[in-house]
Amino acid sequence: MAVDAVDSASRTHDPVVTTPYGAVRGRYEDGIAVFRGIPYAAPPFGARRFLPPVPPEPWDGVRDAGEFGPTPPKPPYSEAFARLLADPVVPGDDCLNLNVWTPEPGPGTRLPVLVWIHGGALTRGSSAVPVYDGQAFARDGVVLVSINYRLGVEGYGLFPDAPPNAGLRDQLAALEWVRESIARFGGDPDRVTVFGESAGAISIGALLASPRAQGLFRRAVLQSGPPEASERDKVRRMVRRMATRLKVPATARAFAAVDRALLLRTQADVARLGSPVLGGPAFGIVVDGDLVPRHPMEALLAGGAPDVELLLGWTSEEYRLWLAPGGLLERVDRLGPVALAGAMARCRCGHEVPRGYRAIHPGAGTADLVGQMVTDHLLRVPLHRLADARPPRTPAYVYEFAWPSHVPGLGACHALELGFVFDTVEVPQAAQLAGPGAPQELADAMHSAWVRFAVEGDPGWQAWDASHPVRIFGAGPPHTVLGPRDRELALWDAEPGRPGAPLSSPESTPSTRPRRPRRVMAVRRSSWPPRPPRAGGGRSLP
């Protein structure tokens, strides 16, 4: 859906919009009004360090919003990942800012709104990544908002003298700004869809389950990230390890006195051994009794956010982003049984699960088996169960991105779908991950599905039901497959520590965890890797 451009005479001057804190001047770019670096909260430093966000100081006159604002403090990617993932740095303290792309600023337009929450393991990323340009969404009649939030120890450190989840509280403050201000930019505050990938999707899972976020958005898209919470002890260990290296107490007050660059280097050193597939130390959202009163998955399986429509999905080979750079795929293959034993420990499963995966995918190497097992355990099973738990009046839609990157070894890896969702596959930074020649027709299909979901609540395929329809975005036209992952996911139903149940929640017990009905399925052999049209052996729909 495209919005007709307003008359050219009105676009001879830069657009100016008045927010609750002061006026901002944006730019017209290809007929779209773009505002960058608008503060939604005060700089989180000095006396505000490690504390919840507070509103920005109002300003007089018109503030220029032509350039991206400062990005939150973050360490750089390693060399192997920096070749694949862009992560620009904009210096400055005023890092709690957001950007708006709108086809027609003004309170009378009332267009649907998409709010983007970026990923990056809660330690990297920002709204300034070129792949996240909102031009195409605004072109198609949607107001696009992208936000920054505190990362790493600044946003997710767990201290005895500061509230937890500061980065998630930033996201809540940004959504409150959208609720209060977006009508002035042409958006409809009653038609807000939040969407995010990886850590952004995990954040949305927590916001979905948070009573304090209720009413701030109508729809949600979770891309490659389930609702989850980290164990408090795991996050504390990150802080204590940093404190040991820094030779300071593990308190917010002591960390605030450390040079910021040294703090980032220490964080990177402590986190170096961690990996989403292999495990290890990491920052994460924790149950805090306030913003996150209980484990998000537990809350949602018990009926939380019943009126929010969901779009959920993953890529076919998520794990390849973490294992392919630096030669980890080959190393895991060489480890063989040792790697499988590690995966079993990571997934808390018995021998029957890897045996079942081997039977379904007899030609797979150890790295692929380990990667798929861990991906299913951490991601696909929880999202399946979340979709199963939605009330009939509030449908969920599920997708799988199956197009393989032209970069050797990456396959259909984590984050590859982003250039297609934003319709930015021609941006050089998108080609870092996708390689040259990414199919524009696939970007057209995927981007239009996200637009349609934001506008209508229906991305254009069958809603989730007992047949488990999944929309496959891969080689050839998008198509729907019934139960493409059911054989693998059925292997987990018999496991005592079933993934998707909130194992780390202190409130959870075996008697209180909602149980998904057992699906009895035969395990059949199939070729590897699964071909997109019949991924995992599902039934293809026309």
Side-chain angles (χ1 to χ4, degrees), residues 253-316:
R253 181 177 180 179
F255 273 50
V258 175
D259 174 77
R260 224 181 283 178
L262 175 59
L263 199 63
L264 289 177
R265 289 197 301 271
T266 306
Q267 175 185 304
D269 287 342
V270 169
R272 198 176 305 279
L273 299 178
S275 163
V277 173
L278 305 178
F283 287 109
I285 296 166
V286 298
V287 175
D288 59 18
D290 172 27
L291 181 57
V292 188
R294 62 192 295 197
H295 192 289
M297 179 62 84
E298 182 183 75
L300 293 170
L301 293 182
D307 299 321
V308 179
E309 297 154 334
L310 299 182
L311 174 58
L312 316 168
W314 49 77
T315 71
S316 297

Side-chain angles (χ1 to χ4, degrees), residues 61 256 289 341-342 349 375 421 445 457 496 506 528:
C349 69
T375 299
V421 168
W528 182 266

Side-chain angles (χ1 to χ4, degrees), residues 40-300:
Y40 66 83
F45 299 106
R48 303 186 186 99
R49 192 86 174 271
F50 297 109
L51 295 180
V54 297
E57 291 291 332
W59 58 87
D60 295 324
V62 180
R63 181 182 181 125
D64 187 70
E67 304 292 336
F68 286 113
T71 53
K74 55 188 174 178
Y77 281 117
S78 67
E79 183 180 350
F81 285 97
R83 290 195 296 265
L84 302 172
L85 302 171
D87 197 11
V89 172
V90 181
D93 285 355
D94 206 358
C95 61
L96 299 185
N97 58 69
L98 52 77
N99 318 296
V100 180
W101 284 259
T102 176
E104 191 170 351
T109 312
R110 309 288 288 189
L111 296 170
V113 180
L114 273 163
V115 179
W116 172 246
I117 303 178
H118 69 81
L122 299 178
T123 58
R124 296 176 175 87
S126 77
S127 64
V129 174
V131 177
Y132 308 153
D133 189 281
Q135 181 82 19
F137 280 112
R139 174 201 68 199
D140 293 333
V142 177
V143 177
L144 191 284
V145 180
S146 59
I147 70 172
N148 286 336
Y149 56 94
R150 278 173 282 181
L151 303 168
V153 70
E154 300 277 357
Y156 298 93
L158 195 54
F159 300 103
D161 54 341
N165 298 322
L168 190 67
R169 296 173 193 274
D170 295 342
Q171 296 171 16
L172 179 68
L175 287 170
E176 291 171 340
W177 183 97
V178 169
R179 180 72 184 177
E180 185 176 8
S181 307
I182 203 62
R184 308 175 193 210
F185 292 83
D188 185 345
D190 294 322
R191 288 200 291 165
V192 173
T193 300
V194 289
F195 73 130
E197 185 265 349
S198 193
I202 291 169
S203 300
I204 290 170
L207 293 168
L208 274 168
S210 175
R212 292 182 56 187
Q214 299 309 300
L216 293 178
F217 51 87
R218 180 174 172 180
R219 302 179 179 114
V221 184
L222 281 70
Q223 300 173 215
S224 301
E228 67 177 32
S230 296
E231 298 176 14
R232 293 176 72 92
D233 285 345
K234 181 178 179 180
V235 180
R236 280 196 191 100
R237 284 197 297 273
M238 282 287 290
V239 173
R240 287 170 182 161
R241 290 178 185 183
M242 290 182 64
T244 298
R245 294 192 179 213
L246 293 166
K247 299 180 181 179
V248 300
T251 65
R253 181 177 180 179
F255 273 50
V258 175
D259 174 77
R260 224 181 283 178
L262 175 59
L263 199 63
L264 289 177
R265 289 197 301 271
T266 306
Q267 175 185 304
D269 287 342
V270 169
R272 198 176 305 279
L273 299 178
S275 163
V277 173
L278 305 178
F283 287 109
I285 296 166
V286 298
V287 175
D288 59 18
D290 172 27
L291 181 57
V292 188
R294 62 192 295 197
H295 192 289
M297 179 62 84
E298 182 183 75
L300 293 170

